Amino acid sequence: DQQVKQNSPSLSVQEGRISILNCDYTNSMFDYFLWYKKYPAEGPTFLISISSIKDKNEDGRFTVFLNKSAKHLSLHIVPSQPGDSAVYFCAASRNDYKLSFGAGTTVTVRA
Amino acid sequence: NAGVMQNPRHLVRRRGQEARLRCSPMKGHSHVYWYRQLPEEGLKFMVYLQKENIIDESGMPKERFSAEFPKEGPSILRIQQVVRGDSAAYFCASSSSGVTYEQYFGPGTRLTVT
């Protein structure tokens, strides 16, 4: 039933270094992928997305890579900053409103 | 505040009571989605509503759960006769058009059933 999986529940990284978050999916019908960031006591906020016709999308310090054959995507944050400490959710869509989320990865950026 | 608003932020109910969760979408948005996040899990789609219409309730439990989005006022997610397994964070999202992944989320309501 879990169509989107984030196998690493947590990640600790030093400030200035790269954070790499991974996500796997099982449904080959997904054609749009998103990353959300969530702070405690707040709702998820959209971070970056990628269409299945691309393999990379970049927005400032954030880059998402998509490997369709492996059904795998990753989010790179370079350089990591203390304000990046949050829970990151991977989500997928069949180009409609029904988002399927992973369980999230908690990122802690150490000073 | 032009964002999605949810209230209450925290709700405690005893088993068997009713829970009512409210969601006011962003200004100009007429499409509302409810998601539930159980502990240690990701958000799961429950229902998609437009004003006065339920478009897709495929993620709603078959019993005790209902949702509405009246012509006036907020969207309401109603859980009757709550059980401990209903304890979760319930998030509402809204969008300006349907059939879109571009949804803006509210801060959520954390329901605790004792």
Side-chain angles (χ1 to χ4, degrees), chain B residues 21-22 29 35-36 53-54 59 64 74 76 82-83 85 90-91 93 99-100 103 108:
Chain B
L21 289 65
R22 295 174 184 76
H29 286 189
Y35 290 81
R36 176 167 68 172
N53 284 305
I54 297 174
R64 303 187 296 109
I76 295 175
V82 296
V83 300
Y90 292 82
F91 291 94
V99 196
T100 178
Q103 301 169 18

Side-chain angles (χ1 to χ4, degrees), chain A residues 1-2 32 34 36 38 41-46 49 89 93 95-104, chain B residues 9 33 35 37 40-45 48 55-56 58 91 98-103 105-108:
Chain A
D1 183 53
Q2 191 75 8
Y32 208 82
L34 309 92
Y36 282 84
K38 183 183 180 305
E42 294 184 13
T45 55
F46 171 76
S49 63
F89 291 99
S93 164
N95 199 23
D96 65 7
Y97 52 84
K98 200 176 292 184
L99 298 174
S100 295
F101 284 83
Chain B
R9 297 292 306 275
Y33 316 84
Y35 290 81
Q37 185 185 19
E40 310 300 323
E41 295 186 15
L43 284 73
K44 286 188 168 52
F45 170 82
Y48 162 35
I55 307 302
D56 181 352
S58 59
F91 291 94
V99 196
T100 178
Y101 39 74
E102 295 183 5
Q103 301 169 18
F105 283 82

